[in-house]
Amino acid sequence: MLLLGCFLVLSLFAAQLVRLQGLDAASVSAAALDGRLAVRSIPAERGTITDVNGEPLAISSERRRVVADPTLVVDYTLKDDEGEIVAEGFAAAAQVVSEVTGADRGTLLEKLENPEGDQYAILLPDVSPQTWQELRQRNVRGLSAESFMRRDYPLGEAAAPLLGWVGAGGLPAGGIELVKDQMLTGTPGEAVYEQGRDGEMITTGLYEEEPAQPGEDVRLSIDADLQWYAFDALRTRVKEAGALRGYAVVQEVETGRIVALANYPTFDPAEPSQTSEEMRNAAIEDVYEPGSTAKLITAAAALEEGIVERDTPVEVPVSLPRAGRAFRDVEPHPILHLTFAGVIARSSNMGTILAAEELGDQRLYDWIRRFGLGTPVGHGLPGESAGLVPEPGGTIWSATTPYTMMFGQGLSGSFLQQVGVFQSIANDGVRLTPSFVQGTVDAEGRYTETTVPEGTRVVSEGTAQTLTEIMQQIPATGGTAPLAAVDGYHVAGKTSTADRIDEKTGRYSGVTSSFIGFAPAEDPKYVVGVAVQRPTKVSRFGGVISGPVFASIMRYALQKEGVEPASTPPLTVELEYDPGARAPGEPSGVTLGDIAVKDEGTP
């Protein structure tokens, strides 16, 4: 009976063995394999953002996140070379990780004792693949690594608001990173492999991989060297002036492409977390009253409409009553006898009103809109504002509005909108949309250049040339910004010292001090704009605060590009006139004083 019982049992075992190894061998083997298989996502490399010369501005690097399964680590034993036990469990694992990476042992131990989940603790959030390989060779039970791509920004805070930011979560925030996210984002891959009891890969087992597809590269028109130089010059000046913030831009005249765009203060993209306020691109998002740089629009309109000419005499009074208000210039003065060129070069508010009030409300409004204020620039970056240009007869239009708008108060715009006014004049009267992207490079390495959009003619070449001649007198000894002069080059530009609205109180507080200009005046290559908000030291005037920064950036840009210095003396035009001198083309006895534009009272 005993033998018969044993025989029956062995027969059952034999039958089961035949079933497993014969009849059901394939399915059992597949089930076993399925139990050993693991799937790992292969992160896709995000496309690189480069400058115009191919220098990296934003790059992705492969990194490792070291994680632990505390339920396995608790059984780890650390032994010395003689086989003696040195430490066990969490303490042993913390000691090894600390020795290899330099991380604090106490912190590591705390993370193991207080994991994010029962089987998941992040020990080191970011290490290099080489460091992980060194740690892996120590064979610590329960340790593994997760691959991810980290975004690095070689220029740091110098270009941070323009480029935007990608944090540990892989989501873009702001700037080029956000706008070109679909192009920059690649397609993740997948790896299927066999793993052992402790989660390690079985190197002789099954391994199948679907490679990740990297994203496309984006090449900007930004020049990395010039970007850093502009940022450093701006940062220095904002600190010296005790200012709230500042912006600087360099734009190519003939293409509209932005070569540098700097903000200060800014943010450090190396920090693991950011706030939306820190990441603002103030040069694009801020909207403020431009002040005297907007006189260029008024001057262009008056010249284009044939109301004045460059040498038209203008008698500037001590005070100018209009719409129940007495308008004055920034600096008190007696009656001045200025040409129209002198009115703009000396930045006279009253002279501008006298020379241009014949435009009337609607024509003035139309000219301001023609130069792009009140309409989004269209550069494509987030946070852009159209600004505010009151419409004649609208709810915020008052009797004084047309007069203040003539010298840049009572309307608002972004920094790039105002720079665009000067680009239009420098480009023989043709306005171009500013752009930042030079081209793209696909996964196969094919480069596609971004086309330069057609421009919009704003004024005639003759008017643009006249304004250029006038603005050459400003960064000169007799102008309002001699500190904006660039040795060896002819420069055309305009200062501004505008009352600024405090964002919190809604009242005027301090000024916006700016200088915008272009060079070489005879064949413009670059427009450079610098604006500093609410300076409290050094000075308040745009020519003093922003003029030197403009000169420094423009000099660097021209010399870097290899633009030859001027070989002729600078152009000079008459800024004043003798009221007793005979008026050209008029009958005998008619003087310049007789034909001068004077205060005839409110029209």
Side-chain angles (χ1 to χ4, degrees), residues 288-296 330 344-349 406-409 411 415 418 422 474 480-481 484 493-500 510-517 530-535 539-547:
Y288 58 93
E289 297 187 2
S292 293
T293 50
K295 288 175 182 170
L296 190 61
V330 175
I344 303 303
R346 302 281 174 81
S347 201
S348 169
N349 294 343
M406 288 180 190
F407 53 83
Q409 302 271 190
L411 75 164
F415 184 50
Q418 295 159 47
F422 288 76
I474 294 173
T480 56
K494 183 73 184 75
T495 62
S496 174
T497 307
D499 292 332
R500 66 178 301 276
V511 297
T512 301
S513 305
S514 61
F515 187 93
I516 307 174
V530 178
V532 175
Q533 294 285 2
R534 206 178 69 192
S539 175
R540 65 193 303 269
F541 295 111
V544 178
I545 290 293
S546 296

Side-chain angles (χ1 to χ4, degrees), residues 11 30 116 125 136 169 171 217 237 239-240 248 264 271 303 328 335 371 394 406 445 466 527 533 562-563:
S11 296
E116 285 81 356
R136 185 180 180 186
L171 297 177
D217 296 342
R237 195 53 165 172
K239 290 181 177 179
E240 289 173 345
Y264 188 81
E271 290 295 322
L303 289 168
R328 294 182 175 83
I335 294 176
F371 271 96
M406 288 180 190
T466 298
V527 178
Q533 294 285 2
V563 177

Side-chain angles (χ1 to χ4, degrees), residues 322-323 327 353 357 364 399-407 602-603:
R322 289 291 185 273
F327 289 92
I353 293 173
E357 61 184 342
L364 175 65
T400 60
T401 297
Y403 301 110
T404 60
M405 284 173 60
M406 288 180 190
F407 53 83
T602 305

Side-chain angles (χ1 to χ4, degrees), residues 107-122:
T107 301
L108 294 170
L109 188 60
E110 183 179 352
K111 290 181 178 180
L112 285 167
E113 292 172 344
N114 300 282
E116 285 81 356
D118 292 339
Q119 293 181 286
Y120 188 79
I122 299 176

Side-chain angles (χ1 to χ4, degrees), residues 85-155:
I85 297 177
V86 176
E88 295 179 317
F90 293 167
Q95 180 175 333
V96 173
V97 175
S98 178
E99 290 174 358
V100 174
T101 66
D104 181 70
R105 185 182 306 180
T107 301
L108 294 170
L109 188 60
E110 183 179 352
K111 290 181 178 180
L112 285 167
E113 292 172 344
N114 300 282
E116 285 81 356
D118 292 339
Q119 293 181 286
Y120 188 79
I122 299 176
L123 299 186
L124 300 168
D126 187 351
V127 300
S128 68
Q130 294 79 6
T131 299
W132 163 241
Q133 289 303 321
E134 292 177 17
L135 185 57
R136 185 180 180 186
Q137 291 172 5
R138 299 294 294 270
N139 296 316
V140 179
R141 177 180 170 84
L143 290 193
S144 60
E146 299 172 347
S147 298
F148 70 96
M149 305 300 293
R150 187 183 73 189
R151 203 65 165 164
D152 294 320
Y153 301 91
L155 277 185

Side-chain angles (χ1 to χ4, degrees), residues 53 127 305 554:
N53 300 310
V127 300
E305 295 280 356
M554 180 65 85

